[in-house]
């Protein structure tokens, strides 16, 4: 089956996440190398009796554990995005996450150092654990929130490049153009400019985290909404649920290809193939035939 749609925005999001991870690999990696070299120079300058392999283990273990934890923090940023309407609810989760990050960072770092020292024939003593936690947290909390801030900034800029949609409830002057519960158009802000997207031009909508991607003429515009909330605002005779992650514009469906187990593929006018789950297949076929849609069965 062809790659599921929402390609542009999802692919761009994945690219940004990979670039973000590579960025931190470079940052943590160069910091580790720099710390190893400066500690070696300081040890020689001040005649501190420490071997190079001790320095390497001490300075590499910390950024290595941070990199292992990084994918989970980036996934948390996807799961709990900070917006003007969500930050009060989610900031406490991030504060608790910073404590968990520090605890896991210390545990992983100490285990790596213990293993490294043991292999080198030496003993590793982390010292007072409470004092170590306070010392490390004062550093980790800055790193943690810098990663969170940068991650959200990159995603915000990416959405601005793509264009972010919002429901257009009323024009700048005069009475509303349409009732809010049946919007005829959406306002799209892209790089500081506003333009309108007609609801009739939407080919399908795809759920993507806390956003719904509106597919219009080969482009994806993220709308801050759930798919169910958007579906409730659309005309059920025009836009039909085809999958738990997709609502399709019926006029854009050129063929319904049956599959095993009652599922189907929807061939769209632009050549894209969308999934249609067994739960929604009959209801979609009923609407396509002009009949009253049946209630979707689980």
């Amino acid at each position: 089956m062809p790659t599921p749609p929402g390609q542009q925005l999802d692919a761009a999001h994945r690219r940004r996440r990979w670039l973000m991870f590579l960025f931190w690999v470079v940052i943590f990696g160069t910091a580790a190398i720099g710390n190893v070299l400066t500690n070696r120079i300081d040890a020689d300058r001040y005649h501190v009796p420490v071997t190079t392999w001790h320095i390497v283990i001490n300075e590499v273990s910390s950024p290595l554990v941070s990199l292992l934890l990084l994918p989970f923090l980036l996934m948390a940023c996807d799961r709990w995005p900070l917006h003007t309407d969500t930050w009060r609810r989610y900031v406490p989760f991030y504060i608790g996450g910073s404590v968990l990050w520090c605890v896991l960072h210390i545990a992983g770092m100490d285990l790596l150092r213990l293993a490294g020292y043991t292999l080198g024939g030496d003993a590793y003593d982390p010292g007072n654990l409470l004092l170590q936690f306070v010392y490390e947290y004062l550093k980790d909390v800055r790193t943690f929130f810098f990663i969170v801030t940068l991650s959200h900034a990159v995603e915000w800029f990416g959405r601005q490049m793509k264009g972010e949609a919002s429901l257009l409830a009323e024009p700048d002057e005069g009475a509303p153009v349409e009732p809010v519960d049946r919007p005829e158009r959406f306002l799209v802000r892209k790089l500081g400019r506003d333009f309108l997207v007609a609801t009739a031009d939407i080919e399908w909508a795809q759920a993507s985290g806390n956003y719904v991607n509106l597919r219009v003429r080969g482009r994806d515009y993220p709308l801050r909404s759930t798919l169910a909330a958007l579906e409730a605002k659309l005309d059920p005779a025009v836009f039909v649920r085809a999958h738990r992650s997709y609502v399709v514009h019926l006029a854009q469906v050129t063929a319904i290809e049956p599959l095993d187990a009652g599922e189907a593929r929807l061939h769209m006018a632009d050549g894209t193939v969308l999934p249609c789950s067994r739960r929604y297949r009959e209801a979609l076929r009923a609407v396509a035939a002009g009949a009253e849609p049946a209630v979707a069965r689980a």
Side-chain angles (χ1 to χ4, degrees):
M1 183 173 178
T3 302
Q7 301 98 326
Q8 287 191 357
L9 188 68
D10 290 347
H13 175 77
R14 287 192 296 270
R15 283 196 299 271
R16 289 196 295 270
R17 278 291 173 253
W18 274 109
L19 288 174
M20 179 68 65
F21 184 79
L22 292 175
F23 169 80
W24 285 109
V25 168
V26 173
I27 294 298
F28 284 127
T30 54
I33 294 172
N35 288 340
V36 168
L37 294 176
T38 55
N39 277 308
R40 181 67 271 169
I41 293 172
D42 286 342
D44 292 339
R45 177 186 298 174
Y46 299 109
H47 308 291
V48 178
V50 59
T51 61
T52 301
W53 69 266
H54 280 94
I55 297 176
V56 171
I57 291 175
N58 289 341
E59 298 301 332
V60 171
S61 57
S62 177
L64 181 58
V65 174
S66 295
L67 286 175
L68 292 175
L69 295 174
L70 181 61
F72 299 99
L73 180 53
L74 295 180
M75 286 190 289
C77 291
D78 287 340
R79 176 63 180 82
W80 297 294
L82 297 174
H83 305 302
T84 54
D85 55 344
T86 64
W87 71 270
R88 289 182 179 86
R89 185 165 70 253
Y90 290 157
V91 161
F93 288 100
Y94 281 103
I95 293 174
S98 68
V99 176
L100 179 61
W101 170 284
C102 183
V103 170
L104 295 176
H105 179 219
I106 292 173
M109 182 175 63
D110 284 348
L111 287 174
L112 287 178
R113 291 176 179 177
L114 177 62
Y117 275 52
T118 301
L119 291 175
D122 203 349
Y124 173 70
D125 181 13
N128 186 295
L129 293 179
L130 179 60
L131 185 62
Q132 185 188 28
F133 172 79
V134 173
Y135 175 81
E136 293 295 337
Y137 185 73
L138 292 175
K139 297 187 298 179
D140 283 351
V141 68
R142 291 175 292 174
T143 300
F144 180 91
F145 279 104
F146 184 56
I147 293 173
V148 170
T149 301
L150 185 59
S151 174
H152 281 86
V154 169
E155 286 303 308
W156 177 87
F157 184 74
R159 290 195 300 269
Q160 295 302 305
M161 291 289 290
K162 285 287 183 183
E164 188 170 5
S166 60
L167 177 65
L168 182 62
E170 58 183 58
D172 293 335
E173 297 179 357
V177 176
E178 69 283 335
V180 177
D181 60 340
R182 285 287 184 270
E184 294 179 3
R185 59 189 61 84
F186 291 84
L187 183 69
V188 173
R189 174 172 291 271
K190 182 176 181 181
L191 297 178
R193 298 181 61 186
D194 294 336
F195 58 98
L196 300 181
V197 169
T199 304
D201 291 337
I202 297 174
E203 299 160 27
W204 68 77
Q206 178 194 12
S208 180
N210 286 346
Y211 283 85
V212 174
N213 301 330
L214 306 180
R215 182 73 162 190
V216 181
R217 299 189 186 95
R219 299 187 66 86
D220 293 298
Y221 300 105
L223 171 70
R224 195 180 303 168
S225 172
T226 64
L227 191 62
L230 175 64
E231 183 185 11
K233 295 179 181 296
L234 299 175
D235 187 345
V238 177
F239 291 91
V240 185
R241 179 69 77 100
H243 187 273
R244 63 185 179 86
S245 298
Y246 294 97
V247 168
V248 299
H249 189 164
L250 198 59
Q252 296 292 325
V253 180
T254 59
I256 302 175
E257 178 188 355
L259 298 174
D260 295 336
E263 297 183 344
R265 293 174 182 165
L266 303 182
H267 294 263
M268 308 301 289
D270 68 349
T272 304
V273 178
L274 301 181
C276 180
S277 64
R278 178 178 57 183
R279 178 181 180 184
Y280 297 104
R281 176 184 167 186
E282 292 307 316
L284 186 144
R285 292 182 65 184
V287 176
E292 185 69 21
V295 177
R297 295 186 298 272

